[in-house]
Amino acid sequence: MADAFERRTPATYDEEILAAERHEVISSYTDEDRIRRVTEELRAGFRALAHVGAAASFFGSARTPPGDPEYELARRCARLVGEAGLAVITGGGPGIMEAANRGAREAGAPSIGLNIELPFEQGLNPYVDLALEFHYFFTRKVMFVRYASGFVVFPGGFGTLDELFESLTLIQTGKIVHFPVVLVGSAYWRGLVRWLEERVVAEGKVSPEELRLFTVTDDPEEVRDILRAAAHRRPRIDLSAANDGAA
């Protein structure tokens, strides 16, 4: 009997690992190979970002063009955050990510881009000073949370919503604490907040207090002030070097 699906090579490492058991996906990797690749990607990210202290991760649509009011608002917010002494971390792509990296560079703050391998190439924007390339979405997500003191979320699509709700879940379950989440663009987020209030809270799926895990604002200064008041991580020192120096 002929195969129901034409067999094909996976387009990304994410597809390769997630669809490895599917008959139509061709893979020559073992699970040990996959574990080694994931470990190497985590290790490279930890090493590259170990020096980052206070930082904020910015999210939003890759489809927002320069000159758009949302682009300019993200640029201004990132510039103020950078001037307040925080690094800015984005996905490294175009749109809101570019605007945030651009604002960070204008402030003289570290401008970090965590790019992701995609079947349709998005490429790094020209305002990234420290660039990392990730094959796996889940390893990249670790970096967004581990090296940031809070999230700034601008209007966006599925990827933006994914990061938003993952961060809220981590806070709700106590995996991260003292971690502000700021939604910028009240007109965009109003419908979502109303739905959360009228359906999710009303039906007891989350508590009213849990809606206070995020702040909605249009004010760049408020974004800066919220992030500046967050609990910030310290850059990690090289313990082996420190021990060598003490010897």
Side-chain angles (χ1 to χ4, degrees):
M1 181 178 174
D3 289 343
F5 301 96
E6 180 181 350
R7 303 202 72 198
R8 58 183 174 75
T9 302
T12 67
Y13 283 118
D14 264 322
E15 183 186 14
E16 195 283 327
I17 198 171
L18 295 173
E21 306 305 318
R22 296 178 65 88
H23 177 68
E24 69 269 21
V25 174
I26 301 169
S27 178
S28 58
Y29 295 114
T30 66
D31 279 345
E32 286 304 315
D33 293 330
R34 298 180 183 107
I35 291 168
R36 185 167 53 253
R37 284 184 176 275
V38 170
T39 301
E40 290 170 355
E41 192 152 290
L42 287 169
R43 182 181 293 115
F46 292 166
R47 185 183 302 118
L49 298 175
H51 70 284
V52 176
S57 289
F58 278 66
F59 301 96
S61 177
R63 304 178 186 185
T64 306
D68 185 278
E70 290 175 357
Y71 180 103
E72 296 305 326
L73 182 58
R75 180 179 172 184
R76 174 165 169 72
C77 284
R79 185 168 66 249
L80 289 176
V81 167
E83 290 170 351
L86 279 72
V88 170
I89 304 171
T90 80
I96 295 298
M97 295 173 281
E98 176 185 299
N101 287 127
R102 186 173 180 178
R105 179 176 288 182
E106 289 168 348
S111 178
I112 301 166
L114 310 182
N115 201 29
I116 184 71
E117 171 202 39
L118 294 172
F120 45 94
E121 197 64 42
Q122 72 171 22
L124 279 167
N125 70 67
Y127 302 102
V128 170
D129 299 319
L130 172 59
L132 281 75
E133 187 79 27
F134 289 87
H135 298 301
Y136 301 106
F137 267 109
F138 57 91
T139 57
R140 180 180 183 236
K141 283 183 173 183
V142 171
M143 306 304 155
F144 278 131
V145 176
R146 186 180 191 198
Y147 293 99
S149 305
F151 279 2
V152 183
V153 189
F154 280 81
F158 288 153
T160 300
L161 295 172
D162 177 43
E163 297 290 354
L164 167 60
F165 282 105
E166 178 151 353
S167 68
L168 294 176
T169 301
L170 291 171
I171 299 167
Q172 179 194 49
T173 55
K175 302 298 184 183
I176 51 176
V177 295
H178 309 303
F179 192 92
V181 176
V182 187
L183 309 186
V184 183
S186 58
Y188 187 83
W189 297 112
R190 188 176 298 123
L192 174 61
V193 174
R194 185 181 302 118
W195 176 77
L196 290 170
E197 292 170 342
E198 294 177 355
R199 293 300 303 269
V200 183
V201 172
E203 295 178 12
K205 305 298 191 296
V206 302
S207 70
E209 292 75 21
E210 287 169 328
L211 287 193
R212 301 193 189 107
L213 297 178
F214 60 86
T215 301
V216 182
T217 186
D218 297 301
D219 183 359
E221 284 78 11
E222 185 177 9
V223 174
R224 175 201 59 201
D225 294 344
I226 290 171
L227 291 171
R228 190 160 51 184
H232 299 299
R233 68 179 298 277
R234 298 180 184 178
R236 195 171 70 246
I237 63 170
D238 186 338
L239 293 177
S240 62
N243 291 335
D244 289 346

